[in-house]
Amino acid sequence: MGYAVVQVLNALSFSALLLLTGLGLSVVLSLMNFVNLAHGAFYLLGSYVAVLWLASGAPWWLAFPAAFLAAALAGALLERFPFRRFYARPHLMQVLLTYGISVILADLMRWGFGAQILTPELPAALRGVVFLFDMPFPLYRLFLIGAGAVLGLLLWLLLDRTLWGAALRAAVTDRGIVETLGIDTRRLFAAVLVLSAGLGGLSGALGAGMLAAYPGLDEEVLILALITVVVGGLGSFGGTVAGALVVGFALTFSKVWFPEFANVVAFSAMAGFLLLRPHGLVAPPLRQV
């Protein structure tokens, strides 16, 4: 019983990380129809910022807003140029642009932070284990589950229950009408990309305590985020939540039951699922800006 509970919590902690990463990617795709393959670089930047912050002796809880702000600033700079010029371009051009930028950012981070694996020094409040049915479970992973649930709820409230979110959804539906009301939709969509980049950095800061930080992690995380969004359904908040749970549980339990073929089993199962449901678990129509 204890072993099963621990594995479920492991899957939930991994799903929480996938949720935050996938939401940052999905919000730009669903609200702006923009494919941003540089999202993994924002994640890795947030991981490095968190590792350095936690090693500096500064208040540990500020590492997460610092990572959010660092990635958001990078997103704001890229949004000004060149992302803004590619919003109306075909997806293939967006993919080529953002993938090229991700490679450049990855090399810059390798030059700036080194090629070694960096593990954060967790604060005393997040170190250690708790015992569940006489089985140890890392305290940090419980923190990750709680942080993922809270941040996911806050993002849903921001987009679905605020005037800013209503204006944003209206701009997606009919940009011209919203602009006649005096709302600058260009700034509105810029804020979405900055928020997405910040979420990538924040998820990287939270994930550093579980996955560490190293060159190449950005591509690994990007692939998992893309799978999460596709399995859940493109352009759907609820679908991203469901996709994160499906991918997180599939990868976790495939490593438990089939350790030598974990990735093969997990990704084969997800490929089979997409053959049965090619539009994902929840798939509202993708809207054009």
Side-chain angles (χ1 to χ4, degrees), residues 88-109:
R89 303 286 182 89
H91 284 168
L92 179 59
M93 296 185 70
Q94 295 172 1
V95 167
L96 292 174
L97 170 73
T98 56
Y99 181 74
I101 289 176
S102 72
V103 174
I104 294 172
L105 292 176
D107 282 347
L108 287 174
M109 285 187 281

Side-chain angles (χ1 to χ4, degrees), residues 33 46 110 119 216 223:
N33 200 19
R110 182 191 294 267
T119 304
I223 291 172

Side-chain angles (χ1 to χ4, degrees), residues 24-118:
L25 186 65
S26 177
V27 70
V28 169
L29 180 59
S30 61
L31 296 179
M32 300 171 62
N33 200 19
F34 182 70
V35 182
N36 180 19
L37 296 188
H39 192 70
F42 296 142
Y43 176 99
L44 185 56
L45 175 61
S47 294
Y48 280 130
V49 169
V51 169
L52 296 180
W53 189 283
L54 292 172
S56 70
W60 67 267
W61 54 273
L62 288 176
F64 305 114
F68 178 91
L69 291 175
L73 177 60
L77 294 175
L78 289 172
E79 197 281 332
R80 296 278 296 182
F81 180 83
F83 286 177
R84 184 176 294 181
R85 298 173 180 267
F86 280 76
Y87 288 158
R89 303 286 182 89
H91 284 168
L92 179 59
M93 296 185 70
Q94 295 172 1
V95 167
L96 292 174
L97 170 73
T98 56
Y99 181 74
I101 289 176
S102 72
V103 174
I104 294 172
L105 292 176
D107 282 347
L108 287 174
M109 285 187 281
R110 182 191 294 267
W111 171 73
F113 299 107
Q116 66 273 23
I117 298 176
L118 300 181

